[in-house]
Amino acid sequence: MLTREWSDPLQRTASISPRAVESISTPERVETHLGTLEFPLGVPTEETAKRVYDHVDHVRAVSAFLDAYSGVSLWAARRGFQEAGIQDNDVLLFSEFMDPKSLVLTGNADTVYFISFLDLTEGPLVVEVPPVALCFLNDMWFRWVTDPGMAGPDRGAGGKYLFVPPGHEGPLPEGGFFTLQTRTTRLILGGRAFLEGDDPKPAVERIKEGLRIYRYIPGYYGTSIGEIVTGGTAPPLPWTAQTWTAALHRPDPPRFVDGSGLPVNMVPPADATYFDFASELVHDQPAEALDPEIAGALAAVGIVKGRPFEPDARMREILAEAAAVGNATARTLACSPRPAEGAHYYGTSSRWLNGLLVSGHEFLAPPADITDRGAEPRPNDGARKLNLRSWWWYVGVGISPAFTAPLPGVGSQYVFSFTDQEGRAFDGCNYYRLVLPPDIPAAKFWSVTVYDNQTRSMLDTPQRFPRAGSQAYPTPAAVPSPDGTTTVHFGPDRPDSVPEGNWIQTTPGRGWFAVLRLYSPLQPFFDKTWRPGEIEAVH
């Protein structure tokens, strides 16, 4: 083995160029946007260390704001429920549709919504889903769990879902349930049911009759006598024949709270209280429920399970600044995604956006192509699309593969417009119009809804329901023109000769954005042979 002795230590770097040495060295004075940073003999001065740590804490806090937005959004929604007197396992049911009194991120007045926060802290929970419902179920960090209902394994027939909390070690049934393990001890169930003959009442009754939420009792439904005898899975004592048959008795319905016209705030804060919400969620849930990277960002600003969150005055100031910057960042990513992100659904010349259709529900890869050969996965470069993730978290509640699946006739698809065709923000003082070509590709129905830029919830106007569409409830249906096109008008007053159902009222002094929804979208939406016009100003 050949070795070499260095008699002069300086000879050891003789073959390394001065340029290379310079590239790995830290000058004693560094000019940055933080000011002059000083490193005499390579060690930071006390002033430099203070500036750097202020900067690091600010960067970590902004990262925590953006990365934890999913969980804080759902925690804020749950807090909003509780402040309105709606407890876990209660069901908020919009029997006459949601209106702007409820602040819900891009909620709409198209379907009968029902929402519940499920409590698994005492063990597994059963949810019986009514038939002909379109639902999603997420954990408290906004991760998809399943899609009960039409897009799920029951395929709209209704079914029993058993949710098992983390760490559960008790017996589970042999069958009879769609059983799913969760990572958090609370969940959000969001569901929609559809009009029948422009009437919400049948859907409301179907939900009240079919939706059940109750504790799972080991040894009852789903467990055979043979399993009890051989496996030791017995119901609580005393166990009698009457007890056994009682398991077949249908549980009572949950407490329903009518949400139509009810003030409920489900929108997360944009100031320093955001971090208090984050701390509450972290302490409420198992430490393992949180992804380590997001947990690390929160821990860097003092939010760690099992430790009190007590930021000092310096850190409070940093958190307030970080919340302002984080909110500004999320808003910019939502309203103005860069073309390279791929969110411009019809290309960069269009203002219609949908980031989910290029990132998928995990923000890793576009959804699979659906062909006559089956589902064909799209390329995955291994990088999470963080900007598109922030885009969705800022404007939506809930996530599901069904939101992104290019399956004609299944689920619903949306495109968003935050500016007019010239790239200018929509001003509630002005008038605009949107022309939709003939044969709008929606097997069930379509709608356009207007949202307040500040709350990202439906715009509150005397019109009450800021929407237009093909349904005749809760506002008159939009009337097509003789050539088959349908024009939707936006403005503070209804223009002369415009049918009531073709106009959405706006508010002077309030900015707004629009969402076009297609329920049971058809192939022309996915292959883009049909595309909406741009929303254009009317002068």
Side-chain angles (χ1 to χ4, degrees):
M1 179 178 181
L2 180 63
T3 61
R4 182 170 183 178
E5 297 284 342
W6 293 95
S7 59
D8 182 352
L10 294 178
Q11 286 184 291
R12 298 177 186 177
T13 59
S15 61
I16 301 175
S17 70
R19 183 185 181 91
V21 173
E22 181 181 357
S23 72
I24 65 173
S25 301
T26 301
E28 293 201 350
R29 292 172 60 86
V30 182
E31 300 297 334
T32 73
H33 74 279
L34 303 178
T36 301
L37 304 181
E38 298 182 336
F39 298 87
L41 299 177
V43 177
T45 64
E46 184 175 345
E47 173 60 26
T48 290
K50 179 182 180 301
R51 289 188 187 183
V52 168
Y53 274 115
D54 283 349
H55 172 66
V56 168
D57 286 342
H58 174 75
V59 169
R60 300 296 189 212
V62 172
S63 177
F65 185 98
L66 294 172
D67 291 344
Y69 203 91
S70 59
V72 174
S73 179
L74 292 185
W75 189 256
R78 179 173 177 266
R79 280 187 50 147
F81 268 45
Q82 292 178 323
E83 290 169 2
I86 309 163
Q87 302 305 316
D88 291 343
N89 301 336
D90 289 347
V91 179
L92 183 63
L93 174 62
F94 294 89
S95 63
E96 295 180 354
F97 282 13
M98 186 184 297
D99 68 16
K101 299 304 179 188
S102 298
L103 299 185
V104 181
L105 295 175
T106 54
N108 63 67
D110 294 331
T111 62
V112 176
Y113 269 105
F114 56 96
I115 308 171
S116 181
F117 283 92
L118 308 179
D119 181 4
L120 280 64
T121 58
E122 296 180 9
L125 195 73
V126 178
V127 177
E128 295 187 17
V129 177
V132 201
L134 186 62
C135 309
F136 70 86
L137 197 136
N138 290 174
D139 72 14
M140 288 303 291
W141 284 103
F142 213 113
R143 291 175 296 231
W144 176 68
V145 178
T146 190
D147 292 321
M150 296 166 67
D154 68 271
R155 297 299 178 92
K160 296 181 179 182
Y161 289 76
L162 177 62
F163 299 104
V164 182
H168 177 72
E169 296 180 352
L172 294 174
E174 300 168 71
F177 300 90
F178 299 108
T179 301
L180 297 113
Q181 183 77 47
T182 68
R183 293 177 63 182
T184 61
T185 59
R186 303 187 198 279
L187 308 170
I188 181 173
L189 168 68
R192 292 169 288 173
F194 301 99
L195 296 176
E196 295 182 13
D198 290 322
D199 184 359
K201 292 185 181 65
V204 171
E205 290 306 312
R206 192 164 58 247
I207 294 166
K208 289 184 175 180
E209 173 60 31
L211 184 61
R212 295 292 185 273
I213 300 171
Y214 53 92
R215 300 282 167 215
Y216 168 70
I217 301 176
Y220 277 18
Y221 178 83
T223 303
S224 66
I225 293 177
E227 171 64 19
I228 290 174
V229 172
T230 61
T233 303
L237 296 175
W239 181 37
T240 66
Q242 288 76 20
T243 305
W244 182 264
T245 57
L248 302 178
H249 175 71
R250 191 120 191 272
D252 292 332
R255 175 175 173 253
F256 287 98
V257 178
D258 201 306
S260 299
L262 180 67
V264 179
N265 179 16
M266 296 177 61
V267 179
D271 57 18
T273 60
Y274 173 96
F275 294 98
D276 296 304
F277 280 45
S279 178
E280 291 174 10
L281 175 57
V282 166
H283 285 85
D284 182 75
Q285 291 300 309
E288 298 77 14
L290 184 53
D291 292 330
E293 290 77 10
I294 299 177
L298 291 168
V301 298
I303 299 175
V304 182
K305 186 174 178 64
R307 301 182 197 170
F309 178 51
E310 298 174 342
D312 57 20
R314 166 190 165 274
M315 197 63 192
R316 274 287 176 196
E317 183 177 349
I318 288 174
L319 293 176
E321 169 74 7
V325 173
N327 181 68
T329 301
R331 180 169 288 271
T332 299
L333 294 174
C335 298
S336 304
R338 289 178 292 196
E341 302 284 356
H344 293 75
Y345 187 62
Y346 298 102
T348 57
S349 63
S350 173
R351 304 296 174 179
W352 291 108
L353 308 172
N354 188 318
L356 291 181
L357 296 177
V358 291
S359 65
H361 75 286
E362 293 183 316
F363 309 100
L364 282 170
D369 286 323
I370 307 300
T371 71
D372 54 6
R373 298 178 300 279
E376 297 184 351
R378 304 274 294 280
N380 181 348
D381 61 12
R384 199 173 300 280
K385 312 305 184 282
L386 298 179
N387 289 348
L388 294 179
R389 184 176 73 173
S390 292
W391 174 85
W392 180 250
W393 285 354
Y394 198 69
V395 299
V397 175
I399 192 67
S400 162
F403 294 3
T404 67
L407 282 169
V410 175
S412 54
Q413 290 293 340
Y414 320 138
V415 284
F416 296 66
S417 184
F418 292 90
T419 61
D420 68 14
Q421 65 180 147
E422 304 299 326
R424 297 171 298 210
F426 296 120
D427 188 333
C429 296
N430 298 335
Y431 291 83
Y432 303 85
R433 69 185 171 205
L434 164 65
V435 178
L436 300 173
D439 302 319
I440 298 171
K444 282 189 177 294
F445 60 92
W446 64 268
S447 73
V448 177
T449 305
V450 163
Y451 296 94
D452 187 306
N453 276 347
Q454 294 302 324
T455 66
R456 287 102 73 202
S457 304
M458 285 189 286
L459 187 66
D460 194 0
T461 71
Q463 191 181 40
R464 187 183 180 191
F465 297 104
R467 49 87 64 190
S470 56
Q471 296 187 132
Y473 181 95
T475 59
V479 179
S481 300
D483 63 359
T485 62
T486 302
T487 302
V488 179
H489 298 259
F490 311 84
D493 298 296
R494 178 154 57 104
D496 293 341
S497 74
V498 170
E500 182 180 352
N502 293 60
W503 166 65
I504 303 176
Q505 188 174 28
T506 60
T507 301
R510 303 294 293 184
W512 56 271
F513 66 94
V515 177
L516 169 62
R517 288 178 168 83
L518 306 175
Y519 288 84
S520 296
L522 301 177
Q523 186 60 33
F525 170 77
F526 295 109
D527 63 23
K528 302 177 186 178
T529 54
W530 182 94
R531 60 180 286 181
E534 302 295 313
I535 301 178
E536 57 184 358
V538 178
H539 301 290

mmCIF file of all heavy atoms in Angstrom, residues 242-267:
data_model
loop_
_atom_site.group_PDB
_atom_site.id
_atom_site.type_symbol
_atom_site.label_atom_id
_atom_site.label_comp_id
_atom_site.label_asym_id
_atom_site.label_seq_id
_atom_site.Cartn_x
_atom_site.Cartn_y
_atom_site.Cartn_z
ATOM 1 N N GLN A 242 -80.295 -12.052 25.016
ATOM 2 C CA GLN A 242 -80.905 -10.748 24.727
ATOM 3 C C GLN A 242 -79.831 -9.729 24.328
ATOM 4 O O GLN A 242 -80.027 -8.905 23.445
ATOM 5 C CB GLN A 242 -81.693 -10.255 25.951
ATOM 6 C CG GLN A 242 -82.988 -11.011 26.228
ATOM 7 C CD GLN A 242 -82.732 -12.382 26.850
ATOM 8 O OE1 GLN A 242 -81.663 -12.623 27.412
ATOM 9 N NE2 GLN A 242 -83.723 -13.266 26.742
ATOM 10 N N THR A 243 -78.680 -9.814 25.010
ATOM 11 C CA THR A 243 -77.575 -8.922 24.666
ATOM 12 C C THR A 243 -77.122 -9.172 23.235
ATOM 13 O O THR A 243 -76.850 -8.248 22.477
ATOM 14 C CB THR A 243 -76.396 -9.126 25.631
ATOM 15 O OG1 THR A 243 -76.860 -8.946 26.957
ATOM 16 C CG2 THR A 243 -75.282 -8.141 25.341
ATOM 17 N N TRP A 244 -77.051 -10.442 22.889
ATOM 18 C CA TRP A 244 -76.594 -10.794 21.540
ATOM 19 C C TRP A 244 -77.527 -10.224 20.471
ATOM 20 O O TRP A 244 -77.098 -9.613 19.509
ATOM 21 C CB TRP A 244 -76.518 -12.312 21.427
ATOM 22 C CG TRP A 244 -76.014 -12.782 20.091
ATOM 23 C CD1 TRP A 244 -76.752 -13.171 19.033
ATOM 24 C CD2 TRP A 244 -74.654 -12.873 19.706
ATOM 25 N NE1 TRP A 244 -75.945 -13.497 17.975
ATOM 26 C CE2 TRP A 244 -74.639 -13.331 18.372
ATOM 27 C CE3 TRP A 244 -73.441 -12.623 20.338
ATOM 28 C CZ2 TRP A 244 -73.460 -13.538 17.668
ATOM 29 C CZ3 TRP A 244 -72.266 -12.835 19.629
ATOM 30 C CH2 TRP A 244 -72.287 -13.291 18.321
ATOM 31 N N THR A 245 -78.821 -10.423 20.649
ATOM 32 C CA THR A 245 -79.763 -9.926 19.649
ATOM 33 C C THR A 245 -79.879 -8.413 19.688
ATOM 34 O O THR A 245 -80.237 -7.792 18.684
ATOM 35 C CB THR A 245 -81.152 -10.553 19.861
ATOM 36 O OG1 THR A 245 -81.590 -10.265 21.193
ATOM 37 C CG2 THR A 245 -81.103 -12.055 19.674
ATOM 38 N N ALA A 246 -79.564 -7.810 20.837
ATOM 39 C CA ALA A 246 -79.625 -6.347 20.915
ATOM 40 C C ALA A 246 -78.623 -5.702 19.983
ATOM 41 O O ALA A 246 -78.772 -4.537 19.584
ATOM 42 C CB ALA A 246 -79.369 -5.886 22.348
ATOM 43 N N ALA A 247 -77.574 -6.440 19.616
ATOM 44 C CA ALA A 247 -76.572 -5.896 18.706
ATOM 45 C C ALA A 247 -77.166 -5.600 17.336
ATOM 46 O O ALA A 247 -76.593 -4.839 16.559
ATOM 47 C CB ALA A 247 -75.408 -6.874 18.564
ATOM 48 N N LEU A 248 -78.307 -6.198 17.032
ATOM 49 C CA LEU A 248 -78.950 -5.963 15.744
ATOM 50 C C LEU A 248 -79.829 -4.718 15.753
ATOM 51 O O LEU A 248 -80.344 -4.310 14.720
ATOM 52 C CB LEU A 248 -79.787 -7.190 15.356
ATOM 53 C CG LEU A 248 -79.012 -8.508 15.272
ATOM 54 C CD1 LEU A 248 -79.968 -9.647 14.927
ATOM 55 C CD2 LEU A 248 -77.889 -8.408 14.243
ATOM 56 N N HIS A 249 -80.013 -4.130 16.929
ATOM 57 C CA HIS A 249 -80.835 -2.925 17.037
ATOM 58 C C HIS A 249 -80.093 -1.739 16.435
ATOM 59 O O HIS A 249 -78.918 -1.514 16.719
ATOM 60 C CB HIS A 249 -81.161 -2.647 18.503
ATOM 61 C CG HIS A 249 -81.904 -1.361 18.712
ATOM 62 N ND1 HIS A 249 -83.219 -1.197 18.335
ATOM 63 C CD2 HIS A 249 -81.506 -0.166 19.236
ATOM 64 C CE1 HIS A 249 -83.602 0.037 18.627
ATOM 65 N NE2 HIS A 249 -82.577 0.670 19.185
ATOM 66 N N ARG A 250 -80.793 -0.969 15.609
ATOM 67 C CA ARG A 250 -80.143 0.166 14.943
ATOM 68 C C ARG A 250 -79.880 1.277 15.945
ATOM 69 O O ARG A 250 -80.756 1.692 16.695
ATOM 70 C CB ARG A 250 -81.052 0.706 13.831
ATOM 71 C CG ARG A 250 -80.314 1.714 12.942
ATOM 72 C CD ARG A 250 -80.276 1.232 11.511
ATOM 73 N NE ARG A 250 -79.364 2.059 10.722
ATOM 74 C CZ ARG A 250 -79.719 3.174 10.113
ATOM 75 N NH1 ARG A 250 -80.948 3.621 10.202
ATOM 76 N NH2 ARG A 250 -78.831 3.853 9.401
ATOM 77 N N PRO A 251 -78.660 1.806 15.977
ATOM 78 C CA PRO A 251 -78.355 2.901 16.903
ATOM 79 C C PRO A 251 -79.183 4.145 16.601
ATOM 80 O O PRO A 251 -79.692 4.332 15.482
ATOM 81 C CB PRO A 251 -76.864 3.159 16.655
ATOM 82 C CG PRO A 251 -76.349 1.909 16.021
ATOM 83 C CD PRO A 251 -77.484 1.362 15.222
ATOM 84 N N ASP A 252 -79.286 4.988 17.592
ATOM 85 C CA ASP A 252 -80.000 6.242 17.411
ATOM 86 C C ASP A 252 -79.210 7.158 16.478
ATOM 87 O O ASP A 252 -77.988 7.053 16.372
ATOM 88 C CB ASP A 252 -80.195 6.939 18.749
ATOM 89 C CG ASP A 252 -81.149 6.177 19.662
ATOM 90 O OD1 ASP A 252 -82.018 5.473 19.141
ATOM 91 O OD2 ASP A 252 -80.999 6.288 20.899
ATOM 92 N N PRO A 253 -79.894 8.082 15.802
ATOM 93 C CA PRO A 253 -79.186 9.019 14.923
ATOM 94 C C PRO A 253 -78.334 9.987 15.740
ATOM 95 O O PRO A 253 -78.576 10.202 16.922
ATOM 96 C CB PRO A 253 -80.312 9.746 14.191
ATOM 97 C CG PRO A 253 -81.508 9.607 15.078
ATOM 98 C CD PRO A 253 -81.355 8.288 15.768
ATOM 99 N N PRO A 254 -77.336 10.571 15.116
ATOM 100 C CA PRO A 254 -76.550 11.594 15.799
ATOM 101 C C PRO A 254 -77.373 12.870 15.967
ATOM 102 O O PRO A 254 -78.489 12.984 15.437
ATOM 103 C CB PRO A 254 -75.372 11.820 14.844
ATOM 104 C CG PRO A 254 -75.934 11.496 13.492
ATOM 105 C CD PRO A 254 -76.908 10.371 13.723
ATOM 106 N N ARG A 255 -76.844 13.799 16.709
ATOM 107 C CA ARG A 255 -77.491 15.107 16.845
ATOM 108 C C ARG A 255 -77.216 15.921 15.577
ATOM 109 O O ARG A 255 -76.072 16.155 15.225
ATOM 110 C CB ARG A 255 -76.945 15.848 18.060
ATOM 111 C CG ARG A 255 -77.480 17.267 18.217
ATOM 112 C CD ARG A 255 -76.974 17.882 19.520
ATOM 113 N NE ARG A 255 -77.331 19.284 19.624
ATOM 114 C CZ ARG A 255 -76.479 20.307 19.492
ATOM 115 N NH1 ARG A 255 -75.198 20.064 19.238
ATOM 116 N NH2 ARG A 255 -76.893 21.545 19.604
ATOM 117 N N PHE A 256 -78.290 16.307 14.894
ATOM 118 C CA PHE A 256 -78.164 17.125 13.689
ATOM 119 C C PHE A 256 -78.363 18.593 14.060
ATOM 120 O O PHE A 256 -79.302 18.942 14.781
ATOM 121 C CB PHE A 256 -79.196 16.718 12.637
ATOM 122 C CG PHE A 256 -78.890 15.403 11.976
ATOM 123 C CD1 PHE A 256 -79.511 14.233 12.403
ATOM 124 C CD2 PHE A 256 -77.981 15.322 10.932
ATOM 125 C CE1 PHE A 256 -79.245 13.013 11.806
ATOM 126 C CE2 PHE A 256 -77.703 14.102 10.320
ATOM 127 C CZ PHE A 256 -78.335 12.946 10.761
ATOM 128 N N VAL A 257 -77.471 19.436 13.557
ATOM 129 C CA VAL A 257 -77.572 20.890 13.743
ATOM 130 C C VAL A 257 -77.749 21.504 12.364
ATOM 131 O O VAL A 257 -76.923 21.287 11.469
ATOM 132 C CB VAL A 257 -76.316 21.467 14.420
ATOM 133 C CG1 VAL A 257 -76.435 22.987 14.545
ATOM 134 C CG2 VAL A 257 -76.107 20.828 15.782
ATOM 135 N N ASP A 258 -78.843 22.242 12.171
ATOM 136 C CA ASP A 258 -79.083 22.841 10.857
ATOM 137 C C ASP A 258 -78.125 24.002 10.642
ATOM 138 O O ASP A 258 -78.065 24.942 11.435
ATOM 139 C CB ASP A 258 -80.527 23.321 10.727
ATOM 140 C CG ASP A 258 -80.925 23.463 9.266
ATOM 141 O OD1 ASP A 258 -80.219 24.162 8.514
ATOM 142 O OD2 ASP A 258 -81.937 22.844 8.861
ATOM 143 N N GLY A 259 -77.387 23.932 9.528
ATOM 144 C CA GLY A 259 -76.378 24.945 9.255
ATOM 145 C C GLY A 259 -76.823 26.074 8.362
ATOM 146 O O GLY A 259 -76.124 27.088 8.258
ATOM 147 N N SER A 260 -77.974 25.940 7.708
ATOM 148 C CA SER A 260 -78.414 26.989 6.783
ATOM 149 C C SER A 260 -78.678 28.278 7.544
ATOM 150 O O SER A 260 -79.520 28.324 8.449
ATOM 151 C CB SER A 260 -79.671 26.544 6.031
ATOM 152 O OG SER A 260 -79.407 25.385 5.264
ATOM 153 N N GLY A 261 -77.932 29.324 7.217
ATOM 154 C CA GLY A 261 -78.071 30.609 7.891
ATOM 155 C C GLY A 261 -77.370 30.687 9.231
ATOM 156 O O GLY A 261 -77.466 31.716 9.926
ATOM 157 N N LEU A 262 -76.622 29.633 9.619
ATOM 158 C CA LEU A 262 -75.956 29.610 10.920
ATOM 159 C C LEU A 262 -74.550 30.197 10.804
ATOM 160 O O LEU A 262 -73.745 29.709 9.996
ATOM 161 C CB LEU A 262 -75.876 28.172 11.437
ATOM 162 C CG LEU A 262 -75.203 27.977 12.801
ATOM 163 C CD1 LEU A 262 -76.033 28.604 13.910
ATOM 164 C CD2 LEU A 262 -74.978 26.490 13.069
ATOM 165 N N PRO A 263 -74.207 31.200 11.607
ATOM 166 C CA PRO A 263 -72.836 31.735 11.584
ATOM 167 C C PRO A 263 -71.845 30.725 12.175
ATOM 168 O O PRO A 263 -71.917 30.393 13.357
ATOM 169 C CB PRO A 263 -72.921 32.996 12.444
ATOM 170 C CG PRO A 263 -74.369 33.337 12.514
ATOM 171 C CD PRO A 263 -75.091 32.020 12.459
ATOM 172 N N VAL A 264 -70.958 30.214 11.346
ATOM 173 C CA VAL A 264 -69.899 29.301 11.770
ATOM 174 C C VAL A 264 -68.621 29.730 11.057
ATOM 175 O O VAL A 264 -68.629 29.895 9.834
ATOM 176 C CB VAL A 264 -70.223 27.836 11.411
ATOM 177 C CG1 VAL A 264 -69.096 26.915 11.852
ATOM 178 C CG2 VAL A 264 -71.526 27.385 12.028
ATOM 179 N N ASN A 265 -67.554 29.907 11.792
ATOM 180 C CA ASN A 265 -66.285 30.315 11.191
ATOM 181 C C ASN A 265 -65.340 29.127 11.144
ATOM 182 O O ASN A 265 -64.823 28.686 12.175
ATOM 183 C CB ASN A 265 -65.651 31.457 11.983
ATOM 184 C CG ASN A 265 -64.306 31.884 11.392
ATOM 185 O OD1 ASN A 265 -63.985 31.541 10.244
ATOM 186 N ND2 ASN A 265 -63.519 32.604 12.164
ATOM 187 N N MET A 266 -65.094 28.585 9.950
ATOM 188 C CA MET A 266 -64.201 27.451 9.771
ATOM 189 C C MET A 266 -62.884 27.850 9.106
ATOM 190 O O MET A 266 -62.128 26.994 8.639
ATOM 191 C CB MET A 266 -64.899 26.371 8.937
ATOM 192 C CG MET A 266 -66.127 25.766 9.600
ATOM 193 S SD MET A 266 -66.989 24.556 8.551
ATOM 194 C CE MET A 266 -65.738 23.298 8.310
ATOM 195 N N VAL A 267 -62.570 29.152 9.066
ATOM 196 C CA VAL A 267 -61.380 29.645 8.371
ATOM 197 C C VAL A 267 -60.258 29.881 9.375
ATOM 198 O O VAL A 267 -60.480 30.489 10.425
ATOM 199 C CB VAL A 267 -61.701 30.944 7.609
ATOM 200 C CG1 VAL A 267 -60.463 31.486 6.891
ATOM 201 C CG2 VAL A 267 -62.826 30.695 6.596
#
